[in-house]
Each structure stands twice: as structure tokens, then as C-alpha cells.
Amino acid sequence: KVHRGSCVDQAKDIKVISEKAAEKNQPEEILDPQIMPSLKEWPKLDTVEQGNELLKGYQELTKAHGLAYSPQILTCKAYKESTFDPEAKNPASSALGLSQATKSSCKDLFVRGDWFTPKIAGFERIKSGAVYYTKMGNSIIAQMEVGLAILH
């Protein structure tokens, strides 16, 4: 729902919701990467099944990060970026995966401050964007998380 007719106002509202979630001081939730199908299983799903899996994954990610983004819109964005292909690579840049995240975007996540903390088991201790970028190619949920973080 767009408040006061502006995306800027909606972004401010999302930040307030995120800050309120952080104030609750709940224990950190780490997601099991197994909540998503593996890269080997992914091509066996049709587009509708892939979209439904991404929708569920984005619901878990937004909850874990305390963000109020629409999982439906995030799923649509993944379709627009990669047509749900976690192995998509842009030959003209370093963009890869569902969110077409670039190496420089991943690096930037870790140098902008400590606001981004990975919430996926196996990724939660990573402190380098280059390491996250290299490792995310093997994990659908990690590709989704970095896309969410870049959007945020």
C-alpha cells in the first residue's frame, strides 16, 4: 500500500517498521538454506512452482530481517531480473543469479556499515562482499537475500 501517494513516503514507512522490529530485540533468526530447493532440483519445477517457492522464501527473509517489503513484489522483481534462473549470468557484467547482483553491489553491502548481517546458515559469519558474492552462486536463498539487501 502506497501511503500519501509517494514511493518516498512508502520507503520512510518501511524504515520505521524495520526500526520497530529491531527495537523488539528478539534473538537473531538464522534461516536454514534447505527452505529452498537446491540448484539441482530447481529446473525440475515449472515457473509457477518456482514463483511459489520464491514467494515463501521472501516471506521468511523479510521476517528474518525485520523488513516490510512485499514478498510478491520481490518475487516479481526476481522474475524480471532473471526469469527465475538462479544460474543467469550477464555476459556484459558480473551480474549473476536471481537478483542479478554484481560483485561491486555485494562488496558495497559490507562497507556501508553494519546494517547488513546475513541471516542464512553458512553465510551468517561472512564479513566480505566478495566472499558472499562467490558463495551465493550455489544458494538460491542467498541470492534472494542479497537482492533484498541491495533493494533495501
Side-chain angles (χ1 to χ4, degrees):
K1 179 178 177 185
V2 177
H3 301 279
R4 296 180 293 278
S6 155
C7 289
V8 172
D9 290 333
Q10 186 177 22
K12 289 177 188 173
D13 292 341
I14 288 169
K15 184 177 181 193
V16 168
I17 292 167
S18 299
E19 289 169 355
K20 287 181 181 177
E23 288 171 7
K24 291 180 184 176
N25 210 12
Q26 296 174 343
E28 192 169 312
E29 181 179 357
I30 301 297
L31 300 175
D32 182 346
Q34 301 295 324
I35 66 170
M36 295 299 293
S38 70
L39 287 173
K40 187 177 180 180
E41 297 165 337
W42 193 254
K44 297 174 187 173
L45 303 175
D46 65 32
T47 304
V48 173
E49 292 169 322
Q50 290 172 344
N52 286 330
E53 289 294 334
L54 290 175
L55 182 64
K56 288 187 277 185
Y58 279 124
Q59 288 168 338
E60 293 297 321
L61 281 169
T62 54
K63 179 181 165 195
H65 282 280
L67 298 172
Y69 289 111
S70 162
Q72 292 85 355
I73 291 181
L74 294 166
T75 301
C76 291
K77 185 178 181 310
Y79 185 80
K80 180 159 177 47
E81 294 287 343
S82 65
T83 57
F84 296 157
D85 181 0
E87 296 183 12
K89 293 182 178 162
N90 183 331
S93 74
S94 65
L96 68 87
L98 291 166
S99 63
Q100 289 293 285
T102 63
K103 193 175 218 172
S104 62
S105 294
C106 288
K107 286 180 180 179
D108 190 45
L109 291 176
F110 290 88
V111 296
R112 283 194 270 169
D114 62 358
W115 69 270
F116 175 67
T117 304
K119 305 283 187 187
I120 300 164
F123 288 79
E124 74 274 25
R125 290 190 174 87
I126 293 176
K127 302 293 182 208
S128 160
V131 171
Y132 195 104
Y133 174 84
T134 300
K135 194 171 177 180
M136 78 174 192
N138 296 319
S139 171
I140 290 173
I141 192 78
Q143 292 177 27
M144 294 167 65
E145 180 177 52
V146 81
L148 175 63
I150 290 167
L151 179 66
H152 184 62

